[in-house]
């Protein structure tokens, strides 16, 4: 035991005595460990984040299956209004207490009075931000306070609790009576697959960190090995030297743990300001689960130890010096294909079957595809190097080195390839979303629809049109829809649509239309049985028409009636839907979405507004996060690459000096070294683009986005990666080449 | 007879430590000159300066009337490539290239196409009885064989001067002898002069003439008075 | 090693005539100093007298060149004893080189110059040996190597002493 402590002490002292290179090595490794620690601690906090959020969602739940039977008492009337503001969900809860002892929802100190509301901090921010006037259209209430954390899913949630006395008129229709909030849990518990995905995601994030850590620990390893040789000469056996080497890596590991915990606290403090996929978390939610936190410490220490031992592979430290066995490079292909093939197999249902596919399995397949490029890169490099066996001597030197020792040349590159493949995949998906930025079933369909009224009189419908057309660039048409029933079974066999010619034109193609016309689709019966036991006669001389857009998918018959052709009996039937359909002309939904919702809320807060085209750039935040993450990862890997190139030059300095002596020009040496760095990257990037494109296609298929690729998003990460390599290589090579080719390296040390 | 290579009054410091503090050297065509001295005496630095690998802080080195420090890097590299050959103690062969390709390297660096360069290299290896090692990589050769390949590489451009810095320093005495036999024999046959830096008198004994470096100086012989 | 022992060793390999003996001796042992015929005769006579060699029966008449000599049992024992006895390593404690250094120091002359001059002389000798080595067969090379290693040892001593000259001067003059 004392022996072991001595070894650890000795190893830790070595971490501080390696000169400038030793210090850089300790510092860089510490940074790598710190980033790994941060990632792991954040991952370890996910369960508590999900649990806290779930608990809050549960506590405010208004779900009550027995609402009909509940008599008035110490109860509250509630109605939920799901809306949106700039494509972010906006939750409205309308409240009216039926007794002073009525249950209060979590997060507010008292019931808001009629026409008053409590708003979430994020909504308060939006009400103070740009476009607030439009937003106010949806919120005809006076803000009297703020909802505290207990009543919110997350700090970035848009939510309000508003008091409305007229809820009493809506009981059973829109509003329900509640004796208690949070009666029935609403949030789904996180299942094992969530944790599986999380684990794989963390692994993916840790990979670049591990690669960087490897590069950092390798940096200046030759000096370390010589020190260890000296220790061996003093009587240490090879296992002791390995233990000392591992102990040396403990210093950056521990420093990294401390630094990483600091970074974690920093990330936690800004966590409240970030929202991903409309999920935001309170800093207090970000608590590592103790078991996972302990595991983090273990994983980080183990990672440092494993990377150190990995670096000692093929190195024999003898008392008289260090011998590097060049590990035999076996370019076997088959096992390198396991991951990509498995990945392809897992994602193949997306392409082959039309039915439902398991999201988890496809996700796993995509991650395997991205990880699968790692073992493929070293196989690809010698192939590329073999393409051109001739060429100038600088290429001969570079290609030989690549062929003989592809692993050394690809260590840092694999990280870049994985990063770029991921970014390419996601970027291409976002680009495809931008190309077809709507979620309409059919391009001929309207841009938005509003349902919720039942007044189907021509005057009421015309009023809806006029009201919505007060918004610039909006054309509104309104139609009423009744169901045609089969007289024997009572099942629906088609629809009657009532609307003016403009309204009918939105849903069907007709050869001319005037008020009083009747059109039929298919062959409806002469007598049309409707709900409420009413039957109307099909007007005379109907003309055939064809339904357009997604209406064409209705397989039943349809009868289209202009107001003048509408039989009086129809007024006794409640329409299934009265739908106002909006077309945007010269404006985008981003500009007018808020107005539409505001106008609708002005008519009736319970109108259901569906905007089929994006009201905001839903992925803007995510894209920023992705770009930020990709930049950090690429920078990290770039730094690793820098260390790697510097180390390779350092290892070969004597040889480079000898080459310079026999007349190799600086250009030859720089070109050769640069080719050694750039060729693996180019080869790897090809692979990355291929993998990224496949994963991107899978993602587009999964989201039913038409598959399309545009060169920009595909090539930007590639160009970034390439620029990074060339930048790093040049940054290291130019000064180093001057030093190395000065032939002073021949001097004995 | 005029000297092929003249170095006069060379000074060179690496940081605060002096490697050379007034060293001279004359090399005549075709001769083998040993440079001896204890380790750290500056003999390697003298060779590096004489070969234009290092520029001295003071003093001048002239090769056939051309002052090396007045040549730019391109010309100096070209001069080294065509007129000089080098054999070092170790670490000079490119591990990824075969022996043949290593020998052909100086020709290739001088712009000779691959085929003719490798043909000439093969012919030289044949003359030096190394043909059976042509396809081997340095890692597959013994230390002595590596040095013999290095000698072949130094000779392939038919240089006027071969600079050898402890060419047998990493070898046992028998392998060292073989390398020296090869180096001096081939140099004499081709008429190349050799500057042979060594601390080993038995290696220096292969030379026609010797100078001694001590504390960065090549002192003139003082009389016993 | 004496000439007599060398003869016995040569005869143990096979019986030889006197002339053969001289040739073989010169080849393996003589090097710079070939034997005189007189030495051959006297040595053989001595060996015959001591019963270490015999002359073959029919060829007892004539000069030593005509006679064929064979080693006796006693002679073989003699060779055996010689080979079994390791040579005493030479101590080199009485060194002329050291004496000259002290001499120079005592008389206030340059001991360094003495060492330099000696080094030149040694190196010249080594160069000569190296040249000879290059021309001779393996036997020559090994003989030359023996000399070269010794000269190399001397040279190393010269270098070693050169470093300590100042200290030595103080002690000598002190």
């Amino acid at each position: 035991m004392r022996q072991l402590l001595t070894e650890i002490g000795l190893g830790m002292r070595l971490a501080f005595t390696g000169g400038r290179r030793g210090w850089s090595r300790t510092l860089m490794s510490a940074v790598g460990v710190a980033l790994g620690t941060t990632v792991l601690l954040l991952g370890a906090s996910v369960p508590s984040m999900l649990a806290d959020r779930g608990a809050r969602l549960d506590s405010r739940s208004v779900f009550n299956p027995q609402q009909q039977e509940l008599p008035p008492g110490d109860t509250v009337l509630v109605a939920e209004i799901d809306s949106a503001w700039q494509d972010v969900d906006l939750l409205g809860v309308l409240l009216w207490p039926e007794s002073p002892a009525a249950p209060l929802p979590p997060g507010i100190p008292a019931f808001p009075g009629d026409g008053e509301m409590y708003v979430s901090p994020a909504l308060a921010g939006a009400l103070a931000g740009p476009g607030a006037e439009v937003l106010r259209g949806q919120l005809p209430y006076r803000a009297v306070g703020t909802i505290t954390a207990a009543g919110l899913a997350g700090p970035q949630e848009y939510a309000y609790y508003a008091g409305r006395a007229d809820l009493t008129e809506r009981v059973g229709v829109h509003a329900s009576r509640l004796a208690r909030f949070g009666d029935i849990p609403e949030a789904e518990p996180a299942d094992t697959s969530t944790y599986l995905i999380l684990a794989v995601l963390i692994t993916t994030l840790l990979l670049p960190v591990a690669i960087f850590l490897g590069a950092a620990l390798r940096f200046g390893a030759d000096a370390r090995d010589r020190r260890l040789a000296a220790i061996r000469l003093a009587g240490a056996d090879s296992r002791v030297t390995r233990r000392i080497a591992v102990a040396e890596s403990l210093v950056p590991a521990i420093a990294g743990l401390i630094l990483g915990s600091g970074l974690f606290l920093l990330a936690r403090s800004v966590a409240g300001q970030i929202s991903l996929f409309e999920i935001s978390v309170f800093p207090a939610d970000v608590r590592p689960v103790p078991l996972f936190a302990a595991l983090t410490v273990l994983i980080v220490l183990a990672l440092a130890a494993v990377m150190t031992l990995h670096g000692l592979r093929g190195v024999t430290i003898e008392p008289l010096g260090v011998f590097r066995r060049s590990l035999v490079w076996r370019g076997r292909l088959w096992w390198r294909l396991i991951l990509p093939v498995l990945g392809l197999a897992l994602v193949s249902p997306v392409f082959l079957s039309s039915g439902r596919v398991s999201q988890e399995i496809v996700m796993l397949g995509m991650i395997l595809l991205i990880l699968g490029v790692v073992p493929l890169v070293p196989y690809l490099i010698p192939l590329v190097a073999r393409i051109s066996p001739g060429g100038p001597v600088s290429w001969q030197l570079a290609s030989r080195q690549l062929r003989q020792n592809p692993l050394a040349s690809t260590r840092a590159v694999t990280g870049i390839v994985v990063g770029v493949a991921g970014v390419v995949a996601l970027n291409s998906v976002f680009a495809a979303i931008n190309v077809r930025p709507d979620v309409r079933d059919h391009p001929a369909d309207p841009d938005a629809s509003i349902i919720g009224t039942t007044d189907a009189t021509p005057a009421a419908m015309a009023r809806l049109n006029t009201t919505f057309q007060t918004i610039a660039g909006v054309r509104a048409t309104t139609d009423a829809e009744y169901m045609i029933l089969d007289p024997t079974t009572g099942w629906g066999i088609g629809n009657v649509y009532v609307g003016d010619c403009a309204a009918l034109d939105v849903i069907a193609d007709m050869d001319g239309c005037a008020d009083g016309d009747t059109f039929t689709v298919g062959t409806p019966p002469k007598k049309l049985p409707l709900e409420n036991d009413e039957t109307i006669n099909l007007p005379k001389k109907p003309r055939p028409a064809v339904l357009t857009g997604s209406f064409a998918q209705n397989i039943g018959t349809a009868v289209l009636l202009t107001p003048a052709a509408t039989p009086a009996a129809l007024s006794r039937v409640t329409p299934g839907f009265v739908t106002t359909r909006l077309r945007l002309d010269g404006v985008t939904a981003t500009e007018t979405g808020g107005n539409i919702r505001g106008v609708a809320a002005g008519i009736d807060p319970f109108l259901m507004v569906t905007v089929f085209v994006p009201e905001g750039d839903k992925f803007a935040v995510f894209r920023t996060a992705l770009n930020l993450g990709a930049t950090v990862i690429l920078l990290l890997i770039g730094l690793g690459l820098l260390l790697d190139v510097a180390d390779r030059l350092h290892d070969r300095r004597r040889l480079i000096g000898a080459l310079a002596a026999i007349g190799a020009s600086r250009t030859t040496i720089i070109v050769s070294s640069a080719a050694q760095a750039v060729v693996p990257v180019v080869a790897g990037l090809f692979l990355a683009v291929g993998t990224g494109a496949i994963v991107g296609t899978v993602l587009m298929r999964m989201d039913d986005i038409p598959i399309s690729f545009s060169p920009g998003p595909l090539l930007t990460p590639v160009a970034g990666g390439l620029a990074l390599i060339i930048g790093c290589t040049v940054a290291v090579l130019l000064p180093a080449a001057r030093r190395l080719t000065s032939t002073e390296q021949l001097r004995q040390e | 007879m005029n000297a092929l290579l003249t170095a006069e009054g060379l000074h060179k410091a690496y940081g605060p430590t002096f490697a050379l503090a007034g060293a001279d050297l004359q090399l005549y065509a075709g001769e083998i000159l040993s440079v001896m001295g204890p380790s750290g005496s500056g003999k390697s630095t003298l060779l590096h300066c004489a070969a234009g690998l290092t520029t001295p802080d003071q003093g001048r080195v002239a090769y056939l009337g051309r002052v090396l420090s007045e040549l730019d890097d391109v010309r100096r590299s070209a001069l080294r490539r065509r007129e000089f050959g080098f054999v070092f103690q170790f670490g000079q062969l490119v591990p990824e290239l075969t022996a043949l390709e290593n020998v052909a390297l100086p020709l290739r660096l001088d712009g000779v196409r691959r085929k003719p360069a490798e043909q000439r290299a093969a012919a030289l290896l044949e003359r030096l009885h190394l043909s059976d090692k042509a396809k081997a990589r340095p890692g597959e050769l013994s230390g002595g064989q590596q040095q013999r390949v290095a000698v072949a590489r130094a000779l392939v451009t038919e240089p006027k001067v071969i600079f050898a810095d402890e060419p047998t320093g990493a070898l046992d005495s028998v392998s060292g002898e073989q390398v020296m036999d090869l180096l001096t024999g081939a140099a004499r046959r081709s008429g190349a002069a050799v500057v042979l830096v060594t601390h080993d008198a038995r290696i220096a004994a292969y030379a026609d003439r010797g100078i001694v470096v001590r504390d960065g100086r090549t002192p003139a012989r003082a009389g016993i008075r | 090693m004496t000439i007599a022992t060398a003869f016995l060793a040569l005869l143990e390999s096979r019986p030889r005539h006197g002339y053969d003996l001289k040739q073989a001796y010169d080849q393996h042992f003589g090097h710079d100093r070939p034997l005189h015929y007189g030495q051959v005769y006297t040595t053989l006579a001595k060996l015959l007298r001591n019963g270490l060699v015999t002359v073959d029966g029919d060829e007892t008449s004539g000069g030593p060149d005509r006679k064929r000599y064979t080693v006796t049992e006693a002679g073989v024992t003699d060779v055996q004893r010689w080979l079994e006895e390791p040579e005493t390593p030479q101590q080199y404690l009485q060194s002329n080189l050291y004496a000259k250094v002290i001499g120079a120091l005592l008389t206030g002359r340059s001991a360094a110059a003495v060492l330099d001059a000696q080094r030149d002389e040694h190196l010249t000798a080594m160069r000569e040996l190296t040249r000879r080595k290059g021309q001779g067969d393996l036997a020559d090379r090994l003989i030359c190597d023996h000399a070269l290693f010794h000269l190399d040892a001397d040279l190393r001593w010269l270098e070693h002493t050169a470093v300590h000259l100042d200290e030595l001067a103080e002690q000598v003059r002190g």
Side-chain angles (χ1 to χ4, degrees):
Chain A
M1 190 61 208
R2 255 185 66 189
Q3 172 63 27
L4 190 65
L5 284 177
T6 314
E7 287 163 24
I8 290 173
L10 189 57
M12 290 174 81
R13 240 198 9 258
L14 286 181
F16 297 107
T17 51
R20 207 157 56 95
R21 287 167 62 80
W23 269 106
S24 332
R25 157 199 173 80
T26 303
L27 193 70
M28 295 291 176
S29 330
V31 169
V33 171
L35 288 164
T37 306
T38 313
V39 167
L40 282 172
L41 283 178
L42 285 174
S45 307
V46 167
S48 65
M49 288 188 242
L50 293 178
D52 289 1
R53 177 184 156 85
R56 285 194 303 272
L57 286 176
D58 287 350
S59 72
R60 77 176 186 196
S61 166
V62 299
F63 185 60
N64 178 7
Q66 293 96 35
Q67 54 185 322
Q68 305 292 338
E69 289 108 64
L70 203 63
D74 287 344
T75 49
V76 61
L77 298 176
V78 292
E80 274 194 337
I81 295 182
D82 292 318
S83 181
W85 171 243
Q86 288 170 350
D87 242 9
V88 177
D89 288 342
L90 168 57
L91 172 76
V93 180
L94 306 183
L95 300 165
W96 196 247
E98 294 183 299
S99 136
L104 198 63
I108 55 173
F111 281 106
D114 192 20
E116 292 178 346
M117 65 173 171
Y118 287 89
V119 293
S120 70
L123 186 59
L127 280 169
E133 281 314 309
V134 177
L135 178 58
R136 263 181 232 289
Q138 288 192 61
L139 307 170
Y141 315 101
R142 190 164 51 84
V144 293
T146 316
I147 308 172
T148 60
L152 295 172
Q156 296 300 314
E157 189 185 26
Y158 287 164
Y160 62 92
Y161 284 102
R164 267 189 96 115
D166 60 359
L167 278 188
T168 48
E169 304 156 19
R170 306 259 192 171
V171 180
V173 185
H174 294 113
S176 55
R177 182 165 285 130
L178 215 62
R180 194 156 70 238
F181 282 92
D183 223 10
I184 305 293
E186 199 167 67
E188 292 169 26
D191 53 11
T192 45
S193 72
T194 311
Y195 291 111
L196 177 79
I197 290 171
L198 193 68
V200 180
L201 202 70
I202 287 174
T203 316
T204 319
L205 281 172
L206 275 186
L207 190 76
V209 171
I211 289 169
F212 173 74
L213 195 61
L217 286 174
R218 226 172 6 253
F219 185 73
D222 53 338
R224 189 262 326 259
D225 294 347
R226 277 200 299 278
R227 286 200 299 277
L228 289 177
I231 291 171
R232 277 218 64 180
L233 191 59
D237 64 34
S238 69
R239 284 170 60 193
V240 170
T241 46
R242 257 154 228 270
R243 281 204 292 272
I244 290 173
V246 169
E248 188 186 340
S249 72
L250 282 182
V251 170
I254 292 169
L257 272 174
I258 296 168
L259 191 63
S261 306
L263 281 176
F264 167 73
L265 290 178
L266 194 73
R268 185 185 138 137
S269 68
V270 298
Q273 287 149 43
I274 294 163
S275 171
L276 264 187
F277 297 124
E278 298 192 20
I279 292 177
S280 56
V281 293
F282 290 102
D285 299 350
V286 189
R287 298 184 313 270
V289 176
L291 174 69
F292 290 171
L295 270 178
T296 296
V297 174
L298 278 182
I299 288 175
V300 164
L301 295 182
L303 195 65
V306 165
M307 290 316 286
T308 302
L309 291 176
H310 183 79
L312 284 174
R313 221 169 38 136
V315 179
T316 313
I317 297 169
E318 290 294 330
L320 289 178
V322 182
F323 302 93
R324 282 165 202 282
R325 287 191 311 279
S326 48
L327 295 169
V328 181
W329 163 246
R330 277 194 211 86
R332 292 254 178 80
L333 182 61
W334 68 268
W335 66 267
R336 295 168 196 281
L337 285 174
I338 292 177
L339 278 183
V341 166
L342 203 62
L344 275 178
L346 291 183
V347 300
S348 61
V350 173
F351 299 102
L352 302 180
S353 83
S354 50
R356 273 195 56 78
V357 289
S358 158
Q359 289 227 2
E360 286 77 29
I361 285 185
V362 173
M363 174 79 117
L364 194 66
M366 290 191 290
I367 287 167
L368 285 183
L369 270 179
I370 289 180
L371 288 182
V373 300
V374 174
L376 272 182
V377 178
Y379 185 80
L380 197 67
I381 308 277
L383 288 185
V384 175
R386 220 174 291 234
I387 287 174
S388 163
V393 69
S394 54
W395 170 247
Q396 186 186 20
L397 289 171
S399 73
R400 281 317 177 80
Q401 160 101 50
L402 291 172
R403 277 165 61 175
Q404 299 285 311
N405 197 357
L407 282 178
S409 317
T410 50
R411 282 190 297 233
V413 171
T414 45
I416 293 185
V417 171
V418 168
V420 169
V423 175
V424 164
L426 293 170
N427 253 357
S428 55
V429 171
F430 294 141
I433 289 171
N434 281 350
V435 167
R436 297 284 324 230
D438 65 53
V439 289
R440 289 178 296 186
D441 290 340
H442 196 280
D445 289 354
D447 296 311
S449 72
I450 296 101
I451 54 176
T453 64
T454 49
D455 190 349
T457 57
M461 297 209 291
R463 207 161 45 241
L464 280 174
N465 290 348
T466 323
T467 313
F468 280 106
Q469 279 171 359
T470 55
I471 307 166
V474 170
R475 280 193 299 119
T477 60
T478 306
D479 57 79
E481 185 181 329
Y482 303 82
M483 203 187 290
I484 307 169
L485 303 175
D486 184 306
T488 48
T489 63
W491 294 347
I493 54 165
N495 289 313
V496 174
Y497 294 99
V498 179
D500 55 22
C501 280
L504 297 183
D505 192 42
V506 170
I507 57 179
D509 274 347
M510 304 153 297
D511 55 342
C513 172
D515 201 10
D517 286 353
T518 300
F519 303 92
T520 56
V521 178
T523 47
K526 291 285 174 230
K527 286 193 182 298
L528 303 168
L530 301 176
E531 284 175 306
N532 297 7
D533 292 329
E534 291 287 345
T535 303
I536 58 167
N537 292 323
L538 186 67
K540 299 272 186 284
K541 290 186 197 157
R543 306 214 304 275
V546 183
L547 292 175
T548 55
S550 54
F551 298 96
Q553 288 157 5
N554 292 351
I555 44 167
T557 62
V559 176
L560 309 172
L561 302 172
T562 50
T566 308
L570 203 59
S571 60
R572 292 194 291 273
V573 184
T574 313
F577 299 104
V578 175
T579 312
T580 306
R581 304 183 200 275
L582 304 184
R583 284 268 192 196
L584 301 183
D585 190 11
V587 290
T588 63
T590 315
E591 294 159 346
T592 55
N595 297 78
I596 294 168
R597 290 177 188 279
V599 169
I603 299 166
D604 182 344
F606 295 104
L607 283 185
M608 217 165 97
V609 179
T610 312
V611 179
F612 295 108
V613 289
E615 292 172 75
D617 192 351
K618 200 170 192 156
F619 292 98
V621 177
F622 188 61
R623 200 164 17 225
T624 311
L626 177 74
N627 286 341
L628 195 73
T631 310
V632 168
I633 287 179
L634 285 182
L635 276 180
L636 194 66
I637 292 166
L639 208 58
L641 189 74
L642 211 89
L643 293 179
D644 230 56
V645 172
D647 218 39
R648 276 222 302 280
L649 287 176
H650 188 78
D651 278 353
R652 291 168 77 86
R653 65 197 183 285
R654 190 183 295 280
L655 176 65
I656 292 172
L659 283 177
I662 64 169
S665 67
R666 200 166 286 166
T667 321
T668 302
I669 287 164
I670 291 177
V671 168
S672 163
S673 302
Q676 277 176 46
V678 171
V679 166
V681 173
V682 174
L685 287 181
F686 268 106
L687 208 57
V689 171
T691 312
I694 292 176
V695 174
T697 312
V698 172
L699 285 171
M700 287 184 236
R701 277 296 290 237
M702 295 275 289
D703 283 352
D704 287 329
I705 302 163
I707 291 163
S708 68
F709 284 101
S710 49
L714 270 181
L715 297 181
T716 310
V718 174
L722 202 61
L724 187 75
I725 310 295
I726 292 169
C728 287
T729 310
V730 168
V732 171
L733 269 181
L734 285 187
R738 177 163 284 278
R739 205 158 34 76
L740 292 177
T741 58
S742 67
T743 59
E744 310 262 319
Q745 297 301 326
L746 291 167
R747 208 149 58 88
Q748 306 278 339
E749 281 176 18
Chain B
M1 190 167 100
N2 275 334
L4 190 63
L5 185 84
T6 319
E8 287 166 354
L10 299 182
H11 284 70
K12 179 78 186 175
Y14 293 112
T17 51
F18 267 94
L20 289 181
D24 304 321
L25 179 148
Q26 264 89 38
L27 181 71
Y28 298 94
E31 75 164 342
I32 300 177
L33 173 72
S34 71
V35 179
M36 284 189 75
S39 52
S41 62
K43 54 190 190 302
S44 284
T45 308
L46 177 58
L47 177 136
H48 292 164
C49 287
L53 295 171
T54 303
T55 307
D57 300 335
Q58 273 178 51
R60 47 170 249 156
V61 179
Y63 172 74
L64 291 175
R66 277 178 285 177
V67 177
L68 295 189
S69 57
E70 288 168 8
L71 301 176
D72 60 18
D73 181 58
V74 174
R75 271 165 232 258
R76 214 161 45 221
S77 291
L79 182 75
R80 284 204 303 266
R81 223 155 47 218
R82 289 169 198 156
E83 309 280 308
F84 298 168
F86 292 89
V87 182
F88 298 113
Q89 187 173 353
F90 45 61
Q92 49 188 326
L93 298 177
V94 183
E96 290 84 12
L97 299 184
T98 62
L100 181 72
E101 287 164 335
N102 264 297
V103 174
L105 196 59
L107 294 172
R108 298 265 287 129
L109 288 170
D110 204 27
V112 180
R113 297 187 68 82
R114 189 164 176 162
K115 233 192 183 115
E118 288 184 359
Q119 275 167 0
R120 273 167 69 182
L124 183 62
L125 285 175
E126 169 96 60
R127 264 213 312 287
L128 301 182
H129 309 291
L130 286 165
S131 290
D132 54 331
K133 303 292 175 203
K135 291 271 173 272
R137 291 182 207 289
E140 297 156 9
L141 298 174
S142 70
Q145 288 166 338
Q146 286 184 28
Q147 286 306 82
R148 279 152 65 198
V149 171
V151 169
R153 191 177 72 180
L155 288 165
V156 76
T157 53
E158 293 167 8
K160 296 276 196 307
V161 187
I162 294 171
F163 292 92
D165 189 357
E166 301 280 10
T168 62
L171 303 179
D172 63 88
S173 69
V174 174
S175 308
E177 216 165 70
Q178 289 173 347
V179 169
M180 286 312 298
D181 285 341
L182 192 69
L183 174 63
T184 52
R188 286 193 202 286
R189 269 197 302 281
S190 66
V194 177
V195 178
L196 177 62
V197 166
T198 180
H199 70 282
D200 185 342
R202 292 191 308 114
I203 298 304
Y206 280 87
D208 304 316
R209 193 164 69 84
I211 59 170
V212 175
V213 187
R214 193 156 299 161
D215 298 329
R217 274 178 260 268
T218 47
R221 204 59 6 116
I224 308 168
R225 288 191 309 106
Chain C
M1 184 201 69
T2 59
I3 298 171
T5 324
F7 275 16
L8 287 175
L10 286 168
L11 288 175
E12 191 178 332
S13 63
R14 62 179 168 86
R16 295 169 193 266
H17 290 101
Y19 180 75
D20 285 348
L21 262 179
K22 176 192 151 40
Q23 292 294 316
Y25 180 92
D26 285 349
Q27 186 191 341
H28 293 295
F29 303 105
H31 312 294
D32 295 348
R33 285 174 294 165
L35 281 183
H36 298 295
Y37 279 106
Q39 283 175 291
V40 178
Y41 302 147
T42 50
T43 306
L44 281 171
K46 206 167 81 191
L47 289 172
L48 271 172
R49 202 168 51 239
N50 292 342
L52 299 175
V53 299
T54 54
V55 178
D56 278 6
D58 334 343
E59 300 177 51
T60 45
S61 62
D65 279 2
R66 300 280 106 228
K67 291 178 183 162
R68 213 162 82 114
Y69 297 88
T70 310
V71 74
T72 65
E73 198 86 346
V76 172
T77 313
D78 227 41
V79 174
Q80 177 77 13
R81 200 182 309 124
W82 169 60
L83 289 176
E84 276 173 355
E85 185 91 350
E87 292 292 307
T88 310
Q90 294 183 35
Q91 298 290 318
Y92 298 110
L93 287 177
Q94 291 295 317
S95 165
N96 291 334
L97 298 181
Y98 179 70
K100 276 196 176 175
V101 170
I102 298 295
L105 290 174
L106 280 173
T107 57
R109 293 187 175 84
S110 168
V114 169
L115 293 176
D116 282 345
Q118 193 59 53
R119 181 189 302 104
D120 284 352
E121 197 59 32
H122 266 68
L123 275 172
T124 308
M126 287 178 80
R127 282 206 271 289
E128 176 55 32
L129 284 166
T130 305
R131 192 159 22 250
R132 269 184 58 186
K133 205 171 107 176
Q135 291 149 2
D137 58 9
L138 181 60
D140 280 327
R141 294 178 74 102
L142 288 176
I143 290 294
C144 290
D145 275 337
H146 187 249
L148 279 167
F149 278 112
H150 276 90
L151 290 172
D152 187 37
D154 280 352
L155 266 177
R156 278 190 231 173
W157 180 83
L158 291 175
E159 290 295 338
H160 182 76
T161 306
V163 177
H164 294 295
L165 270 186
D166 288 346
E167 205 182 332
L168 186 63
E170 265 175 44
Q171 282 183 16
V172 167
R173 288 166 196 156

